[in-house]
Amino acid sequence: MQTPSLAPAHACPSCGSELEVDERFPRWCPGCEWNLAPAAPAVPHRTPRQQRKALRDERREAARQATVRARVEKLYESLTDRPARTRDASWFAAATIAGLVHLLTLVLFTGSVALVCDDRWPVRVLGVLGLVVTVVMRPRLGRLKDDATVLRRADAPALYALADRAAAAVGGKPVDVIRVTRSFNASFGRAGLLRRSRLTLGLPLWTVLTPQQRIALLGHEFGHDVNGDARRGLWLGTALNTLAALHDAFLPDRRGPQRGRILLFAMIAGTVQGLMCHLIRAVLNLLDGLTTRSGQRAEYRADALAAELASAAAAQGMLETFLLYQTYETVLLRLRATPRPRRSGRPGDQPPAVDFWTSLADQFASIPPLERERLRRLSALDLGSVDRTHPPTHLRIRLLGGRPDQQPSVTLSTTEIAAIEAELAPARARVASELLD
Ligand SMILES: [Zn+2]
Ligand SMILES: [Zn+2]
């Protein structure tokens, strides 16, 4: 493990208190928050006019962030105050809009088929055009791809057994497929007509989590299946996908061949295209507004399930790890730049993958608490990047902090941990070479 290089004592330029310094990370003061967010680099050669414009943009951005902050914090307060119903008026309105989208697709399809069957050729052309739009609007059910990322039940009985325990503990069904990818993330989804479930585990994220935090991750992901998030349901989810695909198809200035695009764009004038784009955007925004509340509530619910499964501390640790994404990228760049010894082919030789995963885990373990605290506070400041699917991480961590200390309902024995680790070995070799080469 790399030991932090501690420099001699430094004083905070703002409040004078002594700073703990690790040269691998930015210096900052936890007392007065000096240098918490490193200042953006100065832009040289700005005319007074450009400066005024930049200032206006900055103010506008600050106002936008303040609005977002007020909205998510209000939501957070209201969620902690009282539990709300999953199916309220907003849910009903969103489901109705989704129904109209599906109805429109159906009407367009049947209408286009009728036009194609007409005797007059201009009418037929119109029918074909309608069918092209229907193809863009078709409900996308998703597909479970069978590629190298899929880990079969027979090849990973211990991992599947853990996943089944986690799913059962939150009230869900056993997962159909587990995928192991190279992302620093995890996800859960359903696909196809049979709505088969798929759990995707990013191996870098999995590696830097403790065993209990991994259980928390599974708890959160399986929580998505039972937390009543309408946006992930078949009805609303496919309508959202249809609108997004339609929006993309009407988006002007797209490059690269797209299905149906050339035909579509050749026949529709730019103005109509732009208007359609705005209209679809407006419907998407409306749906977003109607479902943000229930969606964020569902995410908090998934976090609560993760805490019940693995303990609140493990769930908080798991969430904090998501804040370390930049650190992960830095470590990855460093490891990529490190010369790797070639395998000699002698028996007992360790493949480079082993070095990679050990280094990654070690570097994460050596991140000092002060740097973790800096990232936590930064995430509270940086509300501009709040994504549409999850509440801000610092609020999720804070909400878990208010939970009573509970014994975890799922734990792992050292034998189970070792068995899962052995099952992941082939995936480790594959992902390491994907990440390093
Ligand atoms: Zn200070
Ligand atoms: Zn989630």
Side-chain angles (χ1 to χ4, degrees):
M1 189 190 295
Q2 197 175 326
T3 44
S5 41
L6 287 178
H10 293 268
C12 166
S14 174
C15 72
S17 59
E18 197 174 298
L19 294 185
E20 200 182 302
V21 175
D22 184 330
E23 294 301 345
R24 295 174 301 163
F25 303 105
R27 268 178 219 189
W28 73 291
C29 174
C32 69
E33 298 200 337
W34 166 77
N35 208 32
L36 173 60
V43 187
H45 309 305
R46 256 188 190 157
T47 61
R49 198 173 154 187
Q50 283 171 327
Q51 270 174 2
R52 280 198 299 276
K53 185 183 177 306
L55 205 67
R56 269 202 307 277
D57 288 351
E58 252 169 51
R59 281 203 200 115
R60 205 172 299 143
E61 178 54 24
R64 190 189 72 82
Q65 290 218 15
T67 316
V68 174
R69 176 185 294 269
R71 207 180 75 201
V72 293
E73 289 193 342
K74 196 170 148 218
L75 190 63
Y76 171 84
E77 301 300 340
S78 75
L79 292 180
T80 46
D81 278 358
R82 57 198 138 83
R85 285 174 305 153
T86 331
R87 301 202 164 166
D88 49 11
S90 301
W91 173 85
F92 188 73
T96 307
I97 295 173
L100 289 175
V101 171
H102 293 315
L103 188 67
L104 184 67
T105 313
L106 190 67
V107 168
L108 193 68
F109 176 69
T110 45
S112 302
V113 170
L115 292 181
V116 166
C117 297
D118 197 277
D119 290 338
R120 292 153 297 174
W121 70 263
V123 179
R124 281 189 189 177
V125 170
L126 213 63
V128 171
L129 186 68
L131 284 178
V132 169
V133 181
T134 318
V135 169
V136 176
M137 290 183 72
R138 74 191 184 280
R140 287 167 170 77
L141 300 173
R143 246 189 323 154
L144 285 187
K145 272 188 271 170
D146 188 21
D147 56 14
T149 61
V150 171
L151 199 58
R152 282 168 216 294
R153 208 168 251 276
D155 296 330
L159 181 61
Y160 272 90
L162 172 66
D164 291 349
R165 273 166 73 197
V170 301
K173 295 196 186 88
V175 69
D176 289 309
V177 171
I178 297 181
R179 291 172 67 227
V180 181
T181 67
R182 62 186 197 179
S183 70
F184 192 81
N185 210 339
S187 63
F188 178 88
R190 287 188 174 275
L193 259 182
L194 297 174
R195 308 313 289 155
R196 300 211 316 140
S197 59
R198 168 183 53 203
L199 172 72
T200 304
L201 297 174
L203 203 47
L205 174 68
W206 182 264
T207 302
V208 301
L209 295 174
T210 64
Q212 213 52 34
Q213 288 169 354
R214 291 171 188 169
I215 296 173
L217 181 71
L218 294 179
H220 178 91
E221 295 308 330
F222 286 124
H224 279 158
D225 205 24
V226 295
N227 64 1
D229 188 350
R231 297 168 308 172
R232 288 166 173 268
L234 189 61
W235 189 250
L236 193 53
T238 46
L240 285 170
N241 287 343
T242 292
L243 287 169
L246 208 54
H247 178 264
D248 279 2
F250 279 109
L251 209 59
D253 300 320
R254 289 257 315 238
R255 306 198 192 285
Q258 290 288 322
R259 214 179 318 179
R261 165 180 168 269
I262 296 163
L263 192 61
L264 200 67
F265 285 2
M267 307 192 98
I268 301 174
T271 341
V272 179
Q273 197 183 327
L275 274 175
M276 285 300 289
C277 216
H278 276 296
L279 183 71
I280 299 162
R281 186 75 253 155
V283 179
L284 273 170
N285 283 342
L286 177 64
L287 278 174
D288 197 48
L290 288 170
T291 54
T292 300
R293 202 182 151 75
S294 67
Q296 297 220 341
R297 190 167 52 219
E299 288 300 334
Y300 286 123
R301 173 90 191 107
D303 286 341
L305 289 169
E308 275 168 32
L309 231 65
S311 82
Q316 283 179 311
M318 179 268 291
L319 290 176
E320 269 176 29
T321 308
F322 280 100
L323 299 178
L324 297 171
Y325 179 71
Q326 287 296 334
T327 315
Y328 164 66
E329 290 227 300
T330 314
V331 169
L332 190 59
L333 283 177
R334 203 154 48 207
L335 290 174
R336 271 187 191 146
T338 314
R340 271 164 284 152
R342 293 214 163 269
R343 293 176 70 180
S344 65
R346 278 195 300 271
D349 239 22
Q350 289 204 320
V354 175
D355 299 334
F356 171 75
W357 296 108
T358 316
S359 311
L360 180 67
D362 284 354
Q363 303 234 17
F364 262 74
S366 78
I367 298 171
L370 191 66
E371 173 63 6
R372 291 174 186 268
E373 176 62 22
R374 186 182 75 88
L375 293 170
R376 238 189 329 260
R377 291 202 205 171
L378 258 183
S379 87
L381 282 183
D382 185 26
L383 274 175
S385 63
V386 171
D387 71 29
R388 286 171 186 278
T389 59
H390 286 77
T393 309
H394 79 281
L395 289 182
R396 296 170 66 191
I397 294 172
R398 200 200 294 171
L399 192 61
L400 287 172
R403 292 179 65 85
D405 238 356
Q406 256 180 335
Q407 282 300 309
S409 62
V410 177
T411 50
L412 278 170
S413 69
T414 40
T415 325
E416 285 169 307
I417 295 170
I420 292 172
E421 194 50 34
E423 290 168 2
L424 287 173
R428 287 206 182 282
R430 171 180 55 83
V431 175
S433 67
E434 279 174 16
L435 287 171
L436 291 173
D437 297 332

